[in-house]
Amino acid sequence: MKHTPISDALTKMPVGTTITVKGWVRTFRSNRFIALNDGSTIENIQAVVDFEKFDEKVLRQINTGACLKISGDLVSSIGSGQKVEIQVVTLDVLGGADPEKYPLQPKKHSLEFLREQAHLRFRTSTFSAVFRIRHAASFAIHKYFNDRGFFNIHSPIITASDAEGAGEMFRVSTLDATNPPKNELGTADFSQDFFERETHLTVSGQLEAELAALALSKVYTFGPTFRAENSNTSRHLAEFWMIEPEVAFNDLHDNMDLAEDFLKYIVKYVLQHCAADLAFLDKRLQDEEKGKPKNERTEQTLLEKLQFVAENNFVRLSYTEAIEILRNSKPNKKKKFKYLIEEWGADLQSEHERYLVEQHFKCPVILFDYPAKIKAFYMRLNDDGKTVRAMDVLFPGIGEIVGGSQREERLEVLKEKMTQFEIDHEQLYWYLDTRRFGSCVHSGFGLGFERLVQFVTGMSNIRDVIPFPRTPGKAEF
């Protein structure tokens, strides 16, 4: 007999049906009530065992974490907490779990502890909810772009260029790590490497996406990116996923419209398709808030925050306007900011971004027209010669969630900016060629997928929204 997903058993199967379910034991109470979960839903199904009908050796194997196959009749539940339950007819233990060694006993575990059990944390209610929502958000992204005529481009993971100019990249090499061949300067001779040049893991697929957009008009990438940044904050990962749309003929204002519509769509999709998981995470966060002092509690619940973002327009203002607001703010005047805002040209930090979103405007914010000196070489220079057509979308609890710009389409201006940034023209000849042959106005942005999932789930640490986090000193599993 084919088995039934527990999500279907709870919502679609009529009472009186004989069904088979498979899953993992969450709890086994009184040698009678098994709470079984197969990951298809946040809810468990209760299976009721008449222990007199089963061998005691079998019952002893039913421990938290064990994997079972259960067949029986679906009946209306007389107990509280569930509408239906299974009266067990047959029971098979597919895989036992030693109760003395199984680390996820039915009690509250810290998120820090569960990170050390990343191979098992999927089985907890919190993380099963997070990763079902992560899937839904991923699907929504592909659906959004597909329905609007975008083409998905698989940009390279191994690259010889540094799109961001950050220099914090992971090297890819087959050379002998202890005794590499040397050149005349005494350094590693990468001409003898696999690709005959120095290569790295990509930090962005943007430059390659631009090439495709200047032929296919509307494209997007969705792939892994890597930063060798020695950062242990709750907002940084060494390996993460990026979504990067690029659109020919879009200017900065079109780019802002696209980013806002895109983010609202994903939030609405998750609200519509992940109601039970969001309700669970919302309650979890509310319970956490009760333990905080009143002045530290958030004003909105998770569900209220998501509804607010989905239903309200984002505030748009220039970097220059934002600097004036920050410079005159109480935290700045009272020197509460770690990085004080003293003059135009300052690179905004997370504390500044969150102040604008959470305290001043109390809604998502899009900043645009940043100083050229603090932004990447490919961003279009404005007529003032000081600012570029950059844009960042700022979200509550996160800060920057999207960064993008109108790209510099003028060949001579782009070459001059590359010279200023000390970027080799020959190395990026292919990028310059798109400006030599049929250039046009075009724009794009990058969305850090984990930051988006962090926002919609309300998880406080980015390491808890990716299955196996890669951070300094951590590459297990």
Side-chain angles (χ1 to χ4, degrees):
M1 182 187 296
K2 291 180 65 176
H3 74 280
T4 301
I6 288 174
S7 57
D8 289 351
L10 292 171
T11 60
K12 297 179 180 179
M13 306 300 289
V15 169
T17 305
T18 298
I19 64 171
T20 297
V21 294
K22 298 178 182 180
W24 293 268
V25 176
R26 288 285 176 87
T27 60
F28 183 31
R29 297 182 292 111
S30 308
N31 269 7
R32 182 169 173 79
F33 302 106
I34 301 170
L36 201 70
N37 189 283
D38 66 357
S40 62
T41 172
I42 191 76
E43 305 293 341
N44 305 322
I45 195 164
Q46 179 166 281
V48 183
V49 180
D50 184 345
F51 61 86
E52 293 182 355
K53 295 181 180 180
F54 289 90
D55 191 304
E56 187 178 336
K57 290 181 180 179
V58 173
L59 295 180
R60 281 204 298 267
Q61 295 179 64
I62 305 173
N63 299 302
T64 298
C67 187
L68 307 182
K69 173 185 174 183
I70 290 174
S71 296
D73 300 321
L74 194 65
V75 299
S76 297
S77 177
I78 58 175
S80 61
Q82 62 277 325
K83 292 181 180 179
V84 294
E85 60 190 22
I86 300 174
Q87 290 288 343
V88 179
V89 175
T90 65
L91 184 154
D92 296 299
V93 178
L94 303 180
D98 186 339
E100 300 298 321
K101 296 180 179 179
Y102 186 63
L104 302 184
Q105 293 303 314
K107 63 178 183 178
K108 186 176 178 62
H109 297 285
S110 72
L111 297 179
E112 291 78 10
F113 169 78
L114 291 173
R115 277 178 222 135
E116 300 299 320
Q117 306 293 331
H119 56 307
L120 296 172
R121 67 178 179 171
F122 296 101
R123 299 188 188 184
T124 66
S125 295
T126 296
F127 284 97
S128 64
V130 166
F131 292 119
R132 279 188 295 269
I133 291 171
R134 182 183 171 104
H135 161 77
S138 176
F139 181 83
I141 287 164
H142 287 294
K143 179 173 172 55
Y144 177 89
F145 287 125
N146 183 71
D147 291 352
R148 287 156 183 78
F150 283 71
F151 301 105
N152 183 211
I153 299 297
H154 295 149
S155 54
I157 292 174
I158 299 173
T159 179
S161 65
D162 179 2
E164 298 294 324
E168 296 167 331
M169 304 176 74
F170 291 101
R171 181 176 290 125
V172 175
S173 177
T174 60
L175 295 180
D176 187 333
T178 58
N179 187 30
K182 303 290 181 65
N183 56 28
E184 62 276 7
L185 298 175
T187 58
D189 184 2
F190 289 104
S191 68
Q192 297 186 48
D193 207 347
F194 184 88
F195 294 107
E196 300 181 2
R197 63 195 302 179
E198 189 172 3
T199 54
H200 302 85
L201 295 178
T202 186
V203 299
S204 170
Q206 177 208 310
L207 301 189
E208 291 83 2
E210 282 190 58
L211 310 184
L214 294 176
L216 302 175
S217 291
K218 296 192 291 186
V219 304
Y220 72 103
T221 72
F222 191 166
T225 51
F226 309 85
R227 300 283 171 92
E229 183 178 357
N230 190 15
S231 177
N232 274 299
T233 77
S234 62
R235 300 172 64 245
H236 290 90
L237 292 166
E239 176 186 272
F240 53 99
W241 289 69
M242 285 284 288
I243 302 97
E244 296 176 291
E246 291 290 330
V247 186
F249 317 117
N250 266 16
D251 63 14
L252 177 64
H253 297 287
D254 298 322
N255 208 33
M256 290 192 284
D257 290 342
L258 176 64
E260 180 170 347
D261 186 62
F262 173 55
L263 289 166
K264 286 181 176 179
Y265 176 91
I266 298 167
V267 171
K268 289 176 182 176
Y269 187 94
V270 171
L271 281 166
Q272 181 181 353
H273 292 87
C274 304
D277 289 321
L278 286 175
F280 172 83
L281 293 174
D282 187 50
K283 182 180 184 303
R284 173 185 171 276
L285 286 172
Q286 288 187 55
D287 290 343
E288 282 188 358
E289 290 291 307
K290 291 175 184 176
K292 296 179 181 178
K294 284 189 177 182
N295 63 327
E296 294 181 13
R297 295 177 188 175
T298 56
E299 295 182 10
Q300 293 179 312
T301 67
L302 174 62
L303 289 172
E304 288 171 344
K305 184 174 63 173
L306 295 178
Q307 291 285 2
F308 184 83
V309 167
E311 296 169 3
N312 290 278
N313 292 331
F314 297 0
V315 169
R316 302 184 186 187
L317 72 158
S318 70
Y319 166 90
T320 300
E321 294 172 302
I323 282 293
E324 284 305 304
I325 291 171
L326 291 167
R327 187 157 49 188
N328 294 317
S329 68
K330 284 185 179 180
N332 199 60
K333 288 182 175 180
K334 294 185 176 181
K335 299 186 177 181
K336 295 289 181 68
F337 283 144
K338 182 179 178 181
Y339 300 94
L340 296 179
I341 299 294
E342 296 175 347
E343 58 184 17
W344 189 92
D347 198 355
L348 300 186
Q349 305 297 317
S350 178
E351 61 180 341
H352 308 133
E353 296 167 345
R354 292 186 61 178
Y355 172 82
L356 291 170
V357 171
E358 297 168 24
Q359 297 183 48
H360 189 83
F361 291 108
K362 296 188 177 181
C363 69
V365 170
I366 306 180
L367 297 185
F368 60 89
D369 286 350
Y370 280 78
K373 290 182 179 180
I374 63 172
K375 288 296 182 180
F377 76 94
Y378 49 73
M379 298 186 177
R380 195 185 199 278
L381 190 66
N382 282 318
D383 293 341
D384 60 15
K386 297 193 309 178
T387 61
V388 289
R389 293 182 187 175
M391 51 157 272
D392 287 344
V393 181
L394 315 179
F395 262 27
I398 301 293
E400 180 194 336
I401 196 169
V402 161
S405 72
Q406 183 176 325
R407 313 312 190 189
E408 183 55 77
E409 84 281 9
R410 298 165 295 183
L411 176 62
E412 294 307 317
V413 177
L414 181 58
K415 287 168 67 176
E416 184 178 339
K417 290 188 70 177
M418 288 173 67
T419 299
Q420 292 172 2
F421 279 77
E422 299 182 349
I423 295 172
D424 186 355
H425 292 206
E426 288 299 316
Q427 186 183 15
L428 289 183
Y429 76 91
W430 45 269
Y431 189 68
L432 291 171
D433 271 359
T434 58
R435 274 63 173 177
R436 292 188 180 100
F437 311 127
S439 185
C440 68
V441 168
H442 61 288
S443 300
F445 60 81
L447 166 66
F449 185 51
E450 280 71 29
R451 289 193 183 181
L452 173 68
V453 179
Q454 198 179 350
F455 175 74
V456 296
T457 59
M459 300 300 285
S460 59
N461 195 309
I462 202 165
R463 302 176 192 200
D464 296 326
V465 298
I466 190 169
F468 306 105
R470 298 295 185 245
T471 55
K474 297 289 184 181
E476 292 178 88
F477 312 110

PDB file of all heavy atoms in Angstrom, residues 332-353:
ATOM      1  N   ASN A 332      22.661  60.037  16.871  1.00  0.00           N
ATOM      2  CA  ASN A 332      23.902  60.625  16.379  1.00  0.00           C
ATOM      3  C   ASN A 332      24.346  61.780  17.265  1.00  0.00           C
ATOM      4  O   ASN A 332      25.521  61.894  17.619  1.00  0.00           O
ATOM      5  CB  ASN A 332      23.725  61.100  14.938  1.00  0.00           C
ATOM      6  CG  ASN A 332      25.057  61.295  14.221  1.00  0.00           C
ATOM      7  OD1 ASN A 332      25.833  60.366  14.079  1.00  0.00           O
ATOM      8  ND2 ASN A 332      25.334  62.514  13.792  1.00  0.00           N
ATOM      9  N   LYS A 333      23.392  62.640  17.623  1.00  0.00           N
ATOM     10  CA  LYS A 333      23.726  63.798  18.458  1.00  0.00           C
ATOM     11  C   LYS A 333      24.174  63.378  19.860  1.00  0.00           C
ATOM     12  O   LYS A 333      25.030  64.030  20.465  1.00  0.00           O
ATOM     13  CB  LYS A 333      22.521  64.742  18.544  1.00  0.00           C
ATOM     14  CG  LYS A 333      22.253  65.510  17.252  1.00  0.00           C
ATOM     15  CD  LYS A 333      21.088  66.470  17.404  1.00  0.00           C
ATOM     16  CE  LYS A 333      20.909  67.320  16.158  1.00  0.00           C
ATOM     17  NZ  LYS A 333      19.766  68.264  16.283  1.00  0.00           N
ATOM     18  N   LYS A 334      23.580  62.286  20.361  1.00  0.00           N
ATOM     19  CA  LYS A 334      23.948  61.810  21.697  1.00  0.00           C
ATOM     20  C   LYS A 334      25.065  60.764  21.654  1.00  0.00           C
ATOM     21  O   LYS A 334      25.369  60.134  22.661  1.00  0.00           O
ATOM     22  CB  LYS A 334      22.720  61.231  22.389  1.00  0.00           C
ATOM     23  CG  LYS A 334      21.651  62.284  22.698  1.00  0.00           C
ATOM     24  CD  LYS A 334      20.498  61.681  23.484  1.00  0.00           C
ATOM     25  CE  LYS A 334      19.478  62.741  23.868  1.00  0.00           C
ATOM     26  NZ  LYS A 334      18.354  62.179  24.663  1.00  0.00           N
ATOM     27  N   LYS A 335      25.627  60.591  20.439  1.00  0.00           N
ATOM     28  CA  LYS A 335      26.756  59.676  20.220  1.00  0.00           C
ATOM     29  C   LYS A 335      26.427  58.248  20.636  1.00  0.00           C
ATOM     30  O   LYS A 335      27.252  57.529  21.194  1.00  0.00           O
ATOM     31  CB  LYS A 335      27.999  60.192  20.950  1.00  0.00           C
ATOM     32  CG  LYS A 335      28.444  61.563  20.445  1.00  0.00           C
ATOM     33  CD  LYS A 335      29.756  62.001  21.054  1.00  0.00           C
ATOM     34  CE  LYS A 335      30.201  63.332  20.459  1.00  0.00           C
ATOM     35  NZ  LYS A 335      31.490  63.801  20.993  1.00  0.00           N
ATOM     36  N   LYS A 336      25.184  57.840  20.306  1.00  0.00           N
ATOM     37  CA  LYS A 336      24.762  56.466  20.570  1.00  0.00           C
ATOM     38  C   LYS A 336      25.149  55.536  19.410  1.00  0.00           C
ATOM     39  O   LYS A 336      25.246  54.320  19.600  1.00  0.00           O
ATOM     40  CB  LYS A 336      23.246  56.408  20.785  1.00  0.00           C
ATOM     41  CG  LYS A 336      22.768  57.145  22.036  1.00  0.00           C
ATOM     42  CD  LYS A 336      23.182  56.414  23.298  1.00  0.00           C
ATOM     43  CE  LYS A 336      22.700  57.133  24.544  1.00  0.00           C
ATOM     44  NZ  LYS A 336      21.226  57.094  24.673  1.00  0.00           N
ATOM     45  N   PHE A 337      25.312  56.124  18.206  1.00  0.00           N
ATOM     46  CA  PHE A 337      25.776  55.315  17.078  1.00  0.00           C
ATOM     47  C   PHE A 337      27.228  54.907  17.307  1.00  0.00           C
ATOM     48  O   PHE A 337      28.041  55.712  17.783  1.00  0.00           O
ATOM     49  CB  PHE A 337      25.703  56.100  15.769  1.00  0.00           C
ATOM     50  CG  PHE A 337      24.320  56.229  15.179  1.00  0.00           C
ATOM     51  CD1 PHE A 337      23.942  57.396  14.522  1.00  0.00           C
ATOM     52  CD2 PHE A 337      23.402  55.195  15.255  1.00  0.00           C
ATOM     53  CE1 PHE A 337      22.687  57.530  13.960  1.00  0.00           C
ATOM     54  CE2 PHE A 337      22.131  55.314  14.704  1.00  0.00           C
ATOM     55  CZ  PHE A 337      21.774  56.486  14.058  1.00  0.00           C
ATOM     56  N   LYS A 338      27.555  53.683  16.942  1.00  0.00           N
ATOM     57  CA  LYS A 338      28.952  53.254  16.998  1.00  0.00           C
ATOM     58  C   LYS A 338      29.776  54.016  15.968  1.00  0.00           C
ATOM     59  O   LYS A 338      30.919  54.393  16.210  1.00  0.00           O
ATOM     60  CB  LYS A 338      29.042  51.748  16.739  1.00  0.00           C
ATOM     61  CG  LYS A 338      30.465  51.202  16.827  1.00  0.00           C
ATOM     62  CD  LYS A 338      30.482  49.694  16.594  1.00  0.00           C
ATOM     63  CE  LYS A 338      31.907  49.156  16.640  1.00  0.00           C
ATOM     64  NZ  LYS A 338      31.940  47.678  16.398  1.00  0.00           N
ATOM     65  N   TYR A 339      29.161  54.257  14.793  1.00  0.00           N
ATOM     66  CA  TYR A 339      29.803  55.026  13.725  1.00  0.00           C
ATOM     67  C   TYR A 339      29.025  56.318  13.548  1.00  0.00           C
ATOM     68  O   TYR A 339      27.930  56.332  12.986  1.00  0.00           O
ATOM     69  CB  TYR A 339      29.823  54.229  12.412  1.00  0.00           C
ATOM     70  CG  TYR A 339      30.568  52.919  12.509  1.00  0.00           C
ATOM     71  CD1 TYR A 339      29.893  51.728  12.802  1.00  0.00           C
ATOM     72  CD2 TYR A 339      31.945  52.863  12.317  1.00  0.00           C
ATOM     73  CE1 TYR A 339      30.569  50.523  12.898  1.00  0.00           C
ATOM     74  CE2 TYR A 339      32.629  51.657  12.408  1.00  0.00           C
ATOM     75  CZ  TYR A 339      31.942  50.495  12.704  1.00  0.00           C
ATOM     76  OH  TYR A 339      32.618  49.310  12.794  1.00  0.00           O
ATOM     77  N   LEU A 340      29.577  57.419  14.045  1.00  0.00           N
ATOM     78  CA  LEU A 340      28.891  58.706  13.987  1.00  0.00           C
ATOM     79  C   LEU A 340      28.866  59.238  12.562  1.00  0.00           C
ATOM     80  O   LEU A 340      29.829  59.092  11.808  1.00  0.00           O
ATOM     81  CB  LEU A 340      29.569  59.712  14.908  1.00  0.00           C
ATOM     82  CG  LEU A 340      29.537  59.384  16.405  1.00  0.00           C
ATOM     83  CD1 LEU A 340      30.274  60.454  17.205  1.00  0.00           C
ATOM     84  CD2 LEU A 340      28.100  59.246  16.906  1.00  0.00           C
ATOM     85  N   ILE A 341      27.748  59.847  12.200  1.00  0.00           N
ATOM     86  CA  ILE A 341      27.606  60.482  10.895  1.00  0.00           C
ATOM     87  C   ILE A 341      28.008  61.946  11.034  1.00  0.00           C
ATOM     88  O   ILE A 341      27.334  62.724  11.708  1.00  0.00           O
ATOM     89  CB  ILE A 341      26.160  60.381  10.377  1.00  0.00           C
ATOM     90  CG1 ILE A 341      25.753  58.919  10.218  1.00  0.00           C
ATOM     91  CG2 ILE A 341      26.010  61.130   9.051  1.00  0.00           C
ATOM     92  CD1 ILE A 341      26.511  58.160   9.164  1.00  0.00           C
ATOM     93  N   GLU A 342      29.117  62.304  10.436  1.00  0.00           N
ATOM     94  CA  GLU A 342      29.624  63.669  10.564  1.00  0.00           C
ATOM     95  C   GLU A 342      29.586  64.456   9.261  1.00  0.00           C
ATOM     96  O   GLU A 342      29.467  65.672   9.269  1.00  0.00           O
ATOM     97  CB  GLU A 342      31.062  63.635  11.104  1.00  0.00           C
ATOM     98  CG  GLU A 342      31.141  63.063  12.522  1.00  0.00           C
ATOM     99  CD  GLU A 342      32.571  62.921  13.020  1.00  0.00           C
ATOM    100  OE1 GLU A 342      33.494  63.021  12.192  1.00  0.00           O
ATOM    101  OE2 GLU A 342      32.750  62.707  14.235  1.00  0.00           O
ATOM    102  N   GLU A 343      29.704  63.770   8.132  1.00  0.00           N
ATOM    103  CA  GLU A 343      29.731  64.509   6.874  1.00  0.00           C
ATOM    104  C   GLU A 343      29.196  63.646   5.729  1.00  0.00           C
ATOM    105  O   GLU A 343      29.124  62.417   5.825  1.00  0.00           O
ATOM    106  CB  GLU A 343      31.157  64.967   6.545  1.00  0.00           C
ATOM    107  CG  GLU A 343      32.151  63.831   6.445  1.00  0.00           C
ATOM    108  CD  GLU A 343      33.575  64.308   6.220  1.00  0.00           C
ATOM    109  OE1 GLU A 343      33.856  65.492   6.456  1.00  0.00           O
ATOM    110  OE2 GLU A 343      34.407  63.479   5.801  1.00  0.00           O
ATOM    111  N   TRP A 344      28.822  64.301   4.659  1.00  0.00           N
ATOM    112  CA  TRP A 344      28.358  63.625   3.447  1.00  0.00           C
ATOM    113  C   TRP A 344      29.492  62.750   2.894  1.00  0.00           C
ATOM    114  O   TRP A 344      30.657  63.151   2.905  1.00  0.00           O
ATOM    115  CB  TRP A 344      27.964  64.676   2.416  1.00  0.00           C
ATOM    116  CG  TRP A 344      27.262  64.143   1.208  1.00  0.00           C
ATOM    117  CD1 TRP A 344      25.924  64.021   1.035  1.00  0.00           C
ATOM    118  CD2 TRP A 344      27.870  63.678  -0.010  1.00  0.00           C
ATOM    119  NE1 TRP A 344      25.638  63.494  -0.201  1.00  0.00           N
ATOM    120  CE2 TRP A 344      26.821  63.276  -0.873  1.00  0.00           C
ATOM    121  CE3 TRP A 344      29.178  63.551  -0.456  1.00  0.00           C
ATOM    122  CZ2 TRP A 344      27.048  62.771  -2.151  1.00  0.00           C
ATOM    123  CZ3 TRP A 344      29.414  63.040  -1.723  1.00  0.00           C
ATOM    124  CH2 TRP A 344      28.362  62.663  -2.554  1.00  0.00           C
ATOM    125  N   GLY A 345      29.142  61.570   2.449  1.00  0.00           N
ATOM    126  CA  GLY A 345      30.147  60.661   1.905  1.00  0.00           C
ATOM    127  C   GLY A 345      30.402  59.462   2.792  1.00  0.00           C
ATOM    128  O   GLY A 345      31.105  58.532   2.389  1.00  0.00           O
ATOM    129  N   ALA A 346      29.829  59.467   4.006  1.00  0.00           N
ATOM    130  CA  ALA A 346      30.023  58.349   4.919  1.00  0.00           C
ATOM    131  C   ALA A 346      29.350  57.090   4.367  1.00  0.00           C
ATOM    132  O   ALA A 346      28.267  57.161   3.782  1.00  0.00           O
ATOM    133  CB  ALA A 346      29.454  58.690   6.288  1.00  0.00           C
ATOM    134  N   ASP A 347      29.989  55.962   4.563  1.00  0.00           N
ATOM    135  CA  ASP A 347      29.418  54.672   4.157  1.00  0.00           C
ATOM    136  C   ASP A 347      28.471  54.215   5.263  1.00  0.00           C
ATOM    137  O   ASP A 347      28.890  54.028   6.411  1.00  0.00           O
ATOM    138  CB  ASP A 347      30.537  53.654   3.951  1.00  0.00           C
ATOM    139  CG  ASP A 347      30.081  52.458   3.134  1.00  0.00           C
ATOM    140  OD1 ASP A 347      28.873  52.384   2.822  1.00  0.00           O
ATOM    141  OD2 ASP A 347      30.923  51.607   2.817  1.00  0.00           O
ATOM    142  N   LEU A 348      27.190  54.081   4.945  1.00  0.00           N
ATOM    143  CA  LEU A 348      26.201  53.751   5.965  1.00  0.00           C
ATOM    144  C   LEU A 348      26.412  52.337   6.513  1.00  0.00           C
ATOM    145  O   LEU A 348      26.682  51.405   5.765  1.00  0.00           O
ATOM    146  CB  LEU A 348      24.785  53.876   5.400  1.00  0.00           C
ATOM    147  CG  LEU A 348      24.384  55.263   4.863  1.00  0.00           C
ATOM    148  CD1 LEU A 348      22.911  55.259   4.480  1.00  0.00           C
ATOM    149  CD2 LEU A 348      24.669  56.345   5.899  1.00  0.00           C
ATOM    150  N   GLN A 349      26.267  52.208   7.811  1.00  0.00           N
ATOM    151  CA  GLN A 349      26.387  50.924   8.494  1.00  0.00           C
ATOM    152  C   GLN A 349      24.992  50.384   8.806  1.00  0.00           C
ATOM    153  O   GLN A 349      23.987  51.081   8.681  1.00  0.00           O
ATOM    154  CB  GLN A 349      27.194  51.080   9.783  1.00  0.00           C
ATOM    155  CG  GLN A 349      28.561  51.704   9.593  1.00  0.00           C
ATOM    156  CD  GLN A 349      29.478  50.851   8.727  1.00  0.00           C
ATOM    157  OE1 GLN A 349      29.521  49.629   8.883  1.00  0.00           O
ATOM    158  NE2 GLN A 349      30.212  51.485   7.833  1.00  0.00           N
ATOM    159  N   SER A 350      24.952  49.143   9.261  1.00  0.00           N
ATOM    160  CA  SER A 350      23.666  48.513   9.566  1.00  0.00           C
ATOM    161  C   SER A 350      22.871  49.310  10.602  1.00  0.00           C
ATOM    162  O   SER A 350      21.645  49.422  10.504  1.00  0.00           O
ATOM    163  CB  SER A 350      23.900  47.089  10.079  1.00  0.00           C
ATOM    164  OG  SER A 350      22.688  46.470  10.433  1.00  0.00           O
ATOM    165  N   GLU A 351      23.555  49.894  11.581  1.00  0.00           N
ATOM    166  CA  GLU A 351      22.848  50.656  12.614  1.00  0.00           C
ATOM    167  C   GLU A 351      22.148  51.882  12.025  1.00  0.00           C
ATOM    168  O   GLU A 351      21.060  52.259  12.471  1.00  0.00           O
ATOM    169  CB  GLU A 351      23.818  51.090  13.719  1.00  0.00           C
ATOM    170  CG  GLU A 351      24.948  51.996  13.243  1.00  0.00           C
ATOM    171  CD  GLU A 351      25.883  52.406  14.369  1.00  0.00           C
ATOM    172  OE1 GLU A 351      25.476  52.292  15.544  1.00  0.00           O
ATOM    173  OE2 GLU A 351      27.005  52.863  14.068  1.00  0.00           O
ATOM    174  N   HIS A 352      22.758  52.488  11.006  1.00  0.00           N
ATOM    175  CA  HIS A 352      22.135  53.644  10.352  1.00  0.00           C
ATOM    176  C   HIS A 352      20.938  53.211   9.518  1.00  0.00           C
ATOM    177  O   HIS A 352      19.878  53.868   9.536  1.00  0.00           O
ATOM    178  CB  HIS A 352      23.149  54.362   9.458  1.00  0.00           C
ATOM    179  CG  HIS A 352      24.420  54.715  10.152  1.00  0.00           C
ATOM    180  ND1 HIS A 352      25.663  54.462   9.606  1.00  0.00           N
ATOM    181  CD2 HIS A 352      24.654  55.283  11.364  1.00  0.00           C
ATOM    182  CE1 HIS A 352      26.598  54.874  10.440  1.00  0.00           C
ATOM    183  NE2 HIS A 352      26.009  55.363  11.522  1.00  0.00           N
ATOM    184  N   GLU A 353      21.108  52.112   8.777  1.00  0.00           N
ATOM    185  CA  GLU A 353      20.029  51.616   7.926  1.00  0.00           C
ATOM    186  C   GLU A 353      18.822  51.222   8.771  1.00  0.00           C
ATOM    187  O   GLU A 353      17.675  51.556   8.441  1.00  0.00           O
ATOM    188  CB  GLU A 353      20.533  50.417   7.117  1.00  0.00           C
ATOM    189  CG  GLU A 353      21.645  50.778   6.134  1.00  0.00           C
ATOM    190  CD  GLU A 353      22.369  49.560   5.563  1.00  0.00           C
ATOM    191  OE1 GLU A 353      22.216  48.450   6.135  1.00  0.00           O
ATOM    192  OE2 GLU A 353      23.075  49.716   4.562  1.00  0.00           O
TER     193      GLU A 353
END
